[in-house]
Amino acid sequence: MLKKLLGIAPKLESDGSYSPSKLALKLGTVSKSDFENISYEKYKGSKKKILVIFTEQKNMKMKNGKLFSTGNHPIEALVPMLHLKNAGFEFDIATPTGKPVVFEMWAFPEKDEYVQAIYKELKSSFEKPMKLGDFIENSFSSPASYAAVFVPGGHGAMLGIPQDENVGRILNWAHQNDLFTVSLCHGPGSFLATTLNKQPFIYEGYNMAVFPDSVDKQTPMIGYLPGHMPWALSEEMKRLGANIVNTKSDKTVCLDRKLITGASPLASNELGKLTATTLLKELK
């Protein structure tokens, strides 16, 4: 009751999960992103496609058994995609089994006309994405049509995707065919899929920006999470040999070889700019 009075009690949803408290939403979400509508010189080559791997799962079970209502963070997904669209790239939208993309709608920037526009434009693809298995069957033979694989963040990226063999196959395919791999915040959890079936971690020794475990440990205090995380993402990346370049949930972005990463939702605009300019430069 005291937590409710203070506005730090997570909100109970109809399915029994919890979304962030009033205070957490005030501190951790925005009604308008910092997207910069840049006019890039559009890419006109053959590698126009970007595969975007979204989560189809909503509820993350915390250590205390409570469910966090999560999914893909809308700003982390859509702001980088806005930059890539402006730069002339197109998207293949996919989830592991073809179930609809799940967004953290409580984090949706309702007053952001640009984010609203691309969400509406791609809504039918979010509702009926392709299956990763179908992508492997139909597109693995044509890597020359693709520039990058993008895995947006949101805690939901840690659900199912790190354990999905098809995700591992796709990330290895991108790595072997010299495509870029792009992710931010909790999205790098997907990189764990490359280690399934006792395979080596393909990003060992890479610099990358990842959401800090230290912040995830603090957010239950303000009711952002309804409990402590089931596992620690940054810690796992370090254990596998990655070099984490950030200590805060800030605007840090990192380019190392063909891997582009960002630290948090605050890095979404910078990640979009870095990815767009890097692809335009490298794919000339």
Side-chain angles (χ1 to χ4, degrees), residues 61-248:
K61 191 173 185 179
M62 314 309 283
K63 278 187 176 177
N64 61 7
K66 290 184 177 179
L67 300 175
F68 176 46
S69 178
T70 182
N72 292 107
H73 195 289
I75 288 177
E76 292 175 24
L78 300 174
V79 167
M81 291 173 75
L82 279 164
H83 282 283
L84 291 166
K85 180 191 171 188
N86 279 0
F89 295 96
E90 301 167 356
F91 307 107
D92 282 347
I93 307 296
T95 59
T97 70
K99 290 181 181 178
V101 172
V102 174
F103 282 104
E104 295 175 326
M105 293 309 290
W106 44 262
F108 201 92
E110 297 292 345
K111 295 181 181 178
D112 194 311
E113 60 180 310
Y114 296 107
V115 172
Q116 290 271 16
I118 195 168
Y119 176 74
K120 288 175 183 174
E121 178 187 331
L122 298 174
K123 197 167 190 290
S124 61
S125 296
F126 293 146
E127 291 171 349
K128 292 184 177 180
M130 71 170 69
K131 300 177 186 177
L132 291 183
D134 289 346
F135 176 84
I136 289 169
E137 187 175 331
N138 299 323
S139 301
F140 258 29
S141 59
S142 56
S145 299
Y146 288 85
V149 174
F150 174 36
V151 186
H155 287 79
M158 295 171 65
L159 297 174
I161 288 177
Q163 298 83 27
D164 193 295
E165 289 187 9
N166 284 336
V167 174
R169 290 180 68 189
I170 289 168
L171 293 177
N172 272 290
W173 169 79
H175 190 67
Q176 290 159 10
N177 286 284
D178 221 21
L179 309 187
F180 282 85
T181 298
V182 185
S183 194
L184 75 165
C185 202
H186 293 87
S190 62
F191 302 165
L192 295 175
T194 67
T195 69
L196 297 174
N197 302 315
K198 298 182 179 178
Q199 295 298 304
F201 185 52
I202 62 176
Y203 307 109
E204 182 179 358
Y206 276 66
N207 295 325
M208 63 177 73
V210 180
F211 195 82
D213 297 333
S214 59
V215 178
D216 269 332
K217 288 175 183 175
Q218 293 169 355
T219 54
M221 292 188 290
I222 61 167
Y224 190 97
L225 299 176
H228 287 287
M229 292 286 289
W231 53 280
L233 174 57
S234 291
E235 184 180 296
E236 190 65 13
M237 292 290 105
K238 290 175 186 174
R239 185 186 71 80
L240 290 168
N243 176 35
I244 309 301
V245 300
N246 61 297
T247 57
K248 298 179 180 179

